[in-house]
Amino acid sequence: MKCNEYIPLLSAHIDGANSEIEERRLQQHLRSCKRCRELLAQMEQTDAALVENIAEPPEDLTARIMDQVRAEPKKKRAMTRVYGSICAAALATAALLAFVFSGNLPMPGFPNDGDPVSASDNSKMQDLSEDSLASPMSAEENQSGNYYGAVSEDPSSTDSYIESAPLSDKSYSETYPVSSEPYTEPMLPYAEPTEPNVPDTEPNVTVSDPGTADTEPAVSSGLQPKDAISDETEPQESAVISLPPLSPDSTGIPVGTYPAPSNTRKPSAVTDNTPVNAPLLVIWDAAELTALEEFVPVPFQSNSAEESNFTPCQNVPADTLYDRLLSAMPLNLPPLNNSMTLPFEIKSYSVPYETMMALFEECIGTYEIAAYYPAALEDFEHCTILVVERTVEPIE
Amino acid sequence: MIGTDEKKWLKKATAGNAEAFEQLVLQYQKPLYNLCLRMTGNPEDAADMTQETFLKVWRGLDGFRFDSSFSTWLYRLASNTCLDHLRSVKRRPQVSLTVADTEGEEQVLDIPDEAPTPETALLANEEREQLADAMRQLLPEHRQILTLRIVNDLSYTDIAEILGIREGTVKSRLARAREQLRKKLLQTGNKAESNSSNRQKRKGGRGK
């Protein structure tokens, strides 16, 4: 075992959370390793510093809270609201999972190996009208409180989501002042058709015509597919990604667009043609993996030694997955039912950036797309793509 | 975790009794405020987020299921409120990116022995400021879990429930978070030691 593999044991040691065997192994190592002893001492100091710096809340905080509470008449409404919103949520979710398409998504004209679908598809991007604000699933309900029915009716608390909502005629990059780094091609190493950093995953994307995509898998490329929840084996080097075919009879619940409560959910796209039951393509970024590891069932493919230390969790329990998905991406998903059956299935793929972009462009109009990645695109060597397939039928 | 008093207050508050709710506020505002403080990185936002959390609690009490832990619900609400806030003010990406960048240099793990004594750096007068600084540089998820564990002194089981993750994940994420914080503290500490005037300038320049 290398030193940095002892870090989890060091941390758990502080919390008294090591098993007997782990503790013995750690102690044995500590006896012989000065560096780890120092590391432990520093960790303990850091902990202590955090405890020492526990702050007192401002004196008027209670009064502030209570003033606001008292100003708000207590209504017997929450239960009805909850049930209403559950139904609404189910309906909304069945209809679509959608986000504001926003920010510095370099989608239009982004170089890729496939056909440049961007311009026309981009124009199909549905404008957001004020109507979308009246959607049954409000941003408020995406917050954690919705599990318990903490439903807000305070219009002021929806400010951020109102700000993030309207797109109308503005260009996407204008819409989001928060996207402070507009897309500029020269800055992107990925914009150059150079060879990818990852040898085994050539961005060799074969994309079929979206028009014919209803029976065939829409996209295939040299990727490593992985069933998110059930599959525990190592990824096949040469496997082929096939995004699920779309249901052919995708008819008409009008596709509205639900504003994302958060500005950092960068792009998402629903076009007029997006089928009702279209799978949701969630694009995840590699940088997030460190924090959201349990969410990524595919081993992070990487050449670098430190990144390959990353060990994803397998067999994530349904409720965990659900919570993580919701807390990480503001998806409008129906609540988890009592039997803990997920209202969706997830498959994930780890792909090089270029492949992701090609997929992304190709999937517009065919998939509902949500993506989240940091502003600096240079950070993208790998992305994790999650395909979320709804298993809940739309409610008519 | 729910005491009998707390249950009583909860029931009354659910029925619309503001005085009972105030008792709950008094009981929980400090841990929640500290959670928000560490997550948002500044006292003003922390107070706002605490306030917002309690308001959500008040509004959502009707729907609170008494079979789940009230405090778990509170912590979860508070930390999600903070996460949403961080996202909405777009601090999160900046923060994430810093981490993403430095993640690549994981091998920095070997702290050279000749580094200007980390102990003294950690214990410097500016400790408080450095700590806040270092925390701000972490991923929100890391700040969150560090605070829940160390400041709020919650068990792995509670944290797992609050965050909706497994205990094994709590363990590994905490390790990662501790390691990140330690590194950041060393960085800021060393910087502060080598050039404290510079540091002041940097801080001023960064602004809000």
Side-chain angles (χ1 to χ4, degrees), chain A residues 51-278:
Chain A
V51 174
E52 280 162 25
N53 283 293
I54 289 179
E56 286 297 328
E59 281 179 13
D60 63 341
L61 185 61
T62 318
R64 270 173 61 186
I65 293 168
M66 291 314 295
D67 283 353
Q68 215 178 344
V69 161
R70 290 199 173 91
E72 188 163 308
K74 186 80 175 163
K75 280 182 265 169
K76 278 288 173 193
R77 56 152 202 275
M79 290 313 281
T80 2
R81 283 277 316 216
V82 173
Y83 291 123
S85 68
I86 286 174
C87 297
L91 182 61
T93 307
L96 84 166
L97 297 167
F99 293 78
V100 177
F101 177 65
S102 72
N104 56 356
L105 172 67
M107 189 185 54
F110 193 90
N112 71 65
D113 297 340
D115 282 343
V117 270
S118 49
S120 60
D121 278 324
N122 198 24
S123 66
K124 284 189 287 183
M125 214 61 76
Q126 174 144 349
D127 286 348
L128 286 180
S129 64
E130 285 300 310
D131 290 349
S132 63
L133 293 178
S135 65
M137 274 297 279
S138 75
E140 278 297 308
E141 288 161 20
N142 272 321
Q143 292 171 4
S144 64
N146 67 343
Y147 304 121
Y148 298 88
V151 175
S152 163
E153 287 182 341
D154 179 6
S156 69
S157 62
T158 59
D159 277 357
S160 65
Y161 116 82
I162 290 171
E163 277 165 25
S164 70
L167 287 180
S168 57
D169 293 322
K170 295 179 191 170
S171 82
Y172 298 117
S173 53
E174 280 172 347
T175 310
Y176 272 78
V178 292
S179 304
S180 52
E181 302 166 55
Y183 167 59
T184 44
E185 269 185 63
M187 294 181 60
L188 296 176
Y190 306 100
E192 316 298 336
T194 53
E195 64 276 15
N197 294 333
V198 190
D200 286 338
T201 49
E202 299 260 330
N204 173 25
V205 181
T206 350
V207 276
S208 60
D209 183 346
T212 66
D214 31 41
T215 50
E216 291 294 313
V219 181
S220 62
S221 67
L223 303 173
Q224 289 124 353
K226 200 72 178 157
D227 190 289
I229 303 165
S230 56
D231 199 339
E232 283 198 74
T233 56
E234 288 300 305
Q236 320 278 301
E237 289 298 307
S238 60
V240 167
I241 187 176
S242 350
L243 295 182
L246 303 177
S247 77
D249 58 336
S250 50
T251 52
I253 294 181
V255 177
T257 305
Y258 293 81
S262 147
N263 291 344
T264 54
R265 261 67 239 173
K266 281 295 184 302
S268 68
V270 171
T271 73
D272 289 336
N273 302 329
T274 308
V276 173
N277 279 321

Side-chain angles (χ1 to χ4, degrees), chain A residues 265 284 287-288 290-294 324 327-328 372, chain B residues 39 83 86-87 92 95-96 138-148 159 163 165 173-174 177:
Chain A
R265 261 67 239 173
W284 205 265
E288 284 289 301
T290 53
L292 302 172
E293 72 277 19
E294 73 278 359
R324 290 307 301 168
S327 71
Y372 173 37
Chain B
M39 296 239 353
L83 283 182
L86 290 171
R87 284 165 186 150
R92 179 190 161 95
V95 168
S96 301
L138 298 186
L139 281 174
E141 285 79 5
H142 286 173
R143 284 181 248 169
Q144 180 184 46
I145 201 162
L146 283 172
T147 312
L148 290 172
I159 297 172
L163 300 182
I165 58 182
R173 193 184 293 177
L174 257 174

Side-chain angles (χ1 to χ4, degrees), chain A residues 4 11 15 35 42 45 47 55-56 62 64 68 72 74 143-144 148 154 178 288 372 379, chain B residues 29-30 34 48 51 56 58-59 63 80 90 92 97 104 109-110 122 149 156 164 171 178 182:
Chain A
N4 59 349
S11 165
D15 298 325
R35 199 171 69 183
Q42 286 168 10
Q45 278 176 18
D47 270 32
E56 286 297 328
T62 318
R64 270 173 61 186
Q68 215 178 344
E72 188 163 308
K74 186 80 175 163
Q143 292 171 4
S144 64
Y148 298 88
D154 179 6
V178 292
E288 284 289 301
Y372 173 37
D379 278 5
Chain B
Q29 65 175 2
K30 188 172 173 183
N34 274 281
D48 288 350
Q51 189 172 352
K56 283 180 185 169
W58 174 249
R59 288 171 186 154
N80 282 350
K90 182 73 195 296
R92 179 190 161 95
L97 287 178
L109 201 59
D110 333 52
L122 286 172
R149 172 69 203 102
Y156 281 22
K171 195 172 172 178
R178 276 202 172 101
R182 190 190 63 85

Side-chain angles (χ1 to χ4, degrees), chain B residues 65-85:
Chain B
R65 293 185 252 130
F66 279 83
D67 52 347
S68 49
S69 158
F70 179 64
S71 63
T72 301
W73 181 42
L74 276 185
Y75 283 118
R76 189 199 288 227
L77 261 182
S79 72
N80 282 350
T81 303
C82 291
L83 283 182
D84 286 345
H85 170 73

Side-chain angles (χ1 to χ4, degrees), chain B:
Chain B
M1 227 176 165
I2 298 193
T4 41
D5 276 356
E6 188 175 312
K7 261 187 193 151
K8 236 181 286 165
W9 295 332
L10 251 177
K11 283 239 160 71
K12 283 187 181 174
T14 307
N17 183 326
E19 284 66 40
F21 187 73
E22 187 163 9
Q23 295 303 313
L24 294 171
V25 173
L26 285 170
Q27 177 156 338
Y28 281 106
Q29 65 175 2
K30 188 172 173 183
L32 287 198
Y33 173 76
N34 274 281
L35 175 60
C36 295
L37 181 62
R38 288 306 173 199
M39 296 239 353
T40 60
N42 78 73
E44 294 80 20
D45 285 352
D48 288 350
M49 293 303 109
T50 313
Q51 189 172 352
E52 198 178 322
T53 303
F54 277 113
L55 208 61
K56 283 180 185 169
V57 172
W58 174 249
R59 288 171 186 154
L61 267 178
D62 295 352
F64 176 66
R65 293 185 252 130
F66 279 83
D67 52 347
S68 49
S69 158
F70 179 64
S71 63
T72 301
W73 181 42
L74 276 185
Y75 283 118
R76 189 199 288 227
L77 261 182
S79 72
N80 282 350
T81 303
C82 291
L83 283 182
D84 286 345
H85 170 73
L86 290 171
R87 284 165 186 150
S88 71
V89 293
K90 182 73 195 296
R91 277 176 207 159
R92 179 190 161 95
Q94 294 165 356
V95 168
S96 301
L97 287 178
T98 328
V99 174
D101 288 338
T102 52
E103 280 296 316
E105 45 184 62
E106 194 78 46
Q107 68 274 17
V108 176
L109 201 59
D110 333 52
I111 313 127
D113 280 347
E114 64 276 13
T117 53
E119 289 84 356
T120 39
L122 286 172
L123 294 171
N125 289 337
E126 297 182 27
E127 175 186 287
R128 182 184 298 255
E129 198 39 50
Q130 284 175 23
L131 184 68
D133 241 21
M135 282 293 271
R136 275 190 285 264
Q137 293 175 53
L138 298 186
L139 281 174
E141 285 79 5
H142 286 173
R143 284 181 248 169
Q144 180 184 46
I145 201 162
L146 283 172
T147 312
L148 290 172
R149 172 69 203 102
I150 299 164
V151 177
N152 297 133
D153 197 24
L154 298 172
S155 69
Y156 281 22
T157 317
D158 287 342
I159 297 172
E161 201 186 331
I162 290 165
L163 300 182
I165 58 182
R166 296 179 311 161
E167 283 187 41
T169 310
V170 172
K171 195 172 172 178
S172 60
R173 193 184 293 177
L174 257 174
R176 218 169 267 144
R178 276 202 172 101
E179 178 56 9
Q180 287 297 329
L181 179 60
R182 190 190 63 85
K183 277 189 202 166
K184 298 290 175 206
L185 269 177
L186 283 178
Q187 281 170 15
T188 50
N190 288 344
K191 271 183 215 158
E193 213 166 68
S194 61
N195 196 341
S196 59
S197 63
N198 238 355
R199 181 163 172 272
Q200 284 309 114
K201 221 187 286 174
R202 258 204 331 279
K203 279 175 60 189
R206 197 191 300 147
K208 281 212 173 165

